[in-house]
Amino acid sequence: MRIIVQKFGGTSVATPEQRQRVLHHIRKALAEEYRLVVVVSAMGRKGDPYATDTLLSISKQYGDVITPREKDLLMSCGEIISAATISSLLTKHEIQNCVLTGGQAGIITNNHHTNAQIITVNPKRVKHELEKGNVVIVTGFQGQTTDGEITTLGRGGSDTTATALGAALHAEYVDIFTDVEGIMTADPRIVEDAAQLEQVTYTEMCNLAFQGAKVIHPRAVEIAMQTQIPIRVRSTMSDHKGTLVTHLTEIDRPASEVRETTIIGITQMPNVTQIKIRVNQGQYDWQVSVFKAMADHGISVDFISVNPCEIAYTVYDDLADQAAAIISDLGLTPELSRGCAKVSVVGAGIAGVPGVMAKISEALTEEDVQILQSADSHTTIWVLVHGEDMVKAIRALHRKFNLHNLNYA
Ligand code: ASP
Ligand code: MG
């Protein structure tokens, strides 16, 4: 069986017009003789009657008291409504189909309600339905524990459902249909001439996704990377094949891209606070106490830089006051820069290439953007900048690396 998993996000199933496009993509894949698994998100966005955010607000009507197990039951309804709606559309058009919940589709999770992790996927039932000639519509974002309890996979979890099923079924592609044409070199709301990428590697996509690109959930990319399932991120509204996320060796990158730059994209994470603590040389145990105290209070730290006399790290803005109070309680004096942004410059080819950081610092200096902190890995260079410099910084970097010229898609 040649199988494709098509995942349709909340906006893609929100209106009758959008659902016609869903029908179109389903028909197209069937005409190409694929067996089809269709994973759906809950319909629409915040404010729409059956959107996940709406269900969440219902869950809070007596305060934040709902038990996690019951919250999962409530939240799983959005995808069920969506799946049943798509099912009737297909039935109306005489496309044989059946709906399976996450549990029925064999998505088995641990019992961490509201943020469960998939432990295994048993695709037996899905395969059976495919063999019978059904388009199998699976409710995204949900699974079931080995005890039969309904769980949800954390916000944005439908992408994870799709790639996990794709992996278990050895699908040819997992198509993530969404409201953008593909993966862009930068956020098009910030950079007008941001270009659409034809291909990105799993590693690049992971970096983009973890560092703020909202198009696909990072966990979904990780699953695809581990299992080598190709993903196409594409628009419900068009027939363009979108951006292919795949393994580096499978990428036949256009010469223009290789020649121009090793960088493929820029992402941003705004609303973080940089915390700096300085002490006298020769004292070390304070570092341990700071990081331990953060951990004990459940505060996740990022962008960590440790020197003999100084540590610096970031936390989300809304945790800054709490973090500062904890540090003061340890008898230390934190210096806070609130409202910073972490800007990531991503490209799988940067390792060992001289001059990437030179270009970054040149681009930012030319625009009077101060780098508060920086870090790097083999695929990414991160810079921390003041929030008010973020847009300027992203535009300058995009220009410096000629990313608009990647527009070959
Ligand atoms: N409906 C869920 C959410 O909004 C899952 C998803 O759309 O991916 O988080
Ligand atoms: Mg989503």
Side-chain angles (χ1 to χ4, degrees), residues 7 41 156 159:
K7 182 256 169 179
S41 285
D159 293 344

mmCIF file of all heavy atoms in Angstrom, residues 7 41 156 159, ligand 2:
data_model
loop_
_atom_site.group_PDB
_atom_site.id
_atom_site.type_symbol
_atom_site.label_atom_id
_atom_site.label_comp_id
_atom_site.label_asym_id
_atom_site.label_seq_id
_atom_site.Cartn_x
_atom_site.Cartn_y
_atom_site.Cartn_z
ATOM 1 N N LYS A 7 -2.531 15.929 7.127
ATOM 2 C CA LYS A 7 -3.012 16.565 8.355
ATOM 3 C C LYS A 7 -3.550 17.956 8.038
ATOM 4 O O LYS A 7 -2.873 18.741 7.382
ATOM 5 C CB LYS A 7 -1.886 16.640 9.382
ATOM 6 C CG LYS A 7 -2.315 17.251 10.708
ATOM 7 C CD LYS A 7 -1.834 18.661 10.862
ATOM 8 C CE LYS A 7 -2.481 19.348 12.047
ATOM 9 N NZ LYS A 7 -1.997 20.728 12.215
ATOM 10 N N SER A 41 -7.383 18.610 13.029
ATOM 11 C CA SER A 41 -7.385 19.402 14.266
ATOM 12 C C SER A 41 -8.810 19.849 14.548
ATOM 13 O O SER A 41 -9.684 19.729 13.689
ATOM 14 C CB SER A 41 -6.559 20.670 14.080
ATOM 15 O OG SER A 41 -5.203 20.409 14.101
ATOM 16 N N GLY A 156 -0.991 21.930 19.875
ATOM 17 C CA GLY A 156 -0.352 21.714 18.581
ATOM 18 C C GLY A 156 -0.080 20.245 18.293
ATOM 19 O O GLY A 156 0.610 19.905 17.335
ATOM 20 N N ASP A 159 -0.046 17.650 14.813
ATOM 21 C CA ASP A 159 1.116 17.397 13.950
ATOM 22 C C ASP A 159 1.818 16.120 14.404
ATOM 23 O O ASP A 159 2.282 15.316 13.591
ATOM 24 C CB ASP A 159 2.128 18.560 14.041
ATOM 25 C CG ASP A 159 1.592 19.853 13.456
ATOM 26 O OD1 ASP A 159 0.596 19.795 12.714
ATOM 27 O OD2 ASP A 159 2.187 20.911 13.746
HETATM 28 MG MG MG B 2 -1.448 23.079 14.899
#
